[in-house]
Amino acid sequence: MKKVLILGAGLVVKPMVEYLLKNNFELMVASPMKERADEMIKGNPHGSSLDWSMDDRPCLRSLFQTMILL
């Protein structure tokens, strides 16, 4: 399964999230607006979200490694 990591859950991301989930991509949305990311994912089992700040570089490194290993 193809995996996608989206950094940020701004309003322009919603169509991309919907497209990726509709086409069975494994999707992680990392954003300081986790609630907005959750609204976009709508409980889809292929989607997940994480409360993430751009200042948290160790977490970003971990996200990339996790997406590679999934």
Side-chain angles (χ1 to χ4, degrees):
M1 179 175 286
K2 295 180 182 178
K3 300 169 279 191
V4 177
L5 171 62
I6 296 177
L7 302 176
L11 296 176
V12 297
V13 171
K14 186 177 180 182
M16 181 171 39
V17 168
E18 291 171 348
Y19 172 84
L20 292 169
L21 292 175
K22 178 181 167 186
N23 289 284
N24 297 316
F25 283 78
E26 192 69 30
L27 177 64
M28 162 73 76
V29 181
S31 174
M33 297 179 284
K34 184 179 185 314
E35 297 82 18
R36 186 178 290 172
D38 290 336
E39 289 173 14
M40 292 178 194
I41 293 168
K42 298 180 184 175
N44 187 303
H46 294 293
S48 60
S49 66
L50 174 71
D51 188 15
W52 171 74
S53 169
M54 290 182 284
D55 298 331
D56 190 350
R57 289 183 181 245
C59 182
L60 180 60
R61 187 172 293 118
S62 176
L63 284 170
F64 283 122
Q65 291 171 346
T66 300
M67 292 304 288
I68 291 170
L69 296 175
L70 285 178

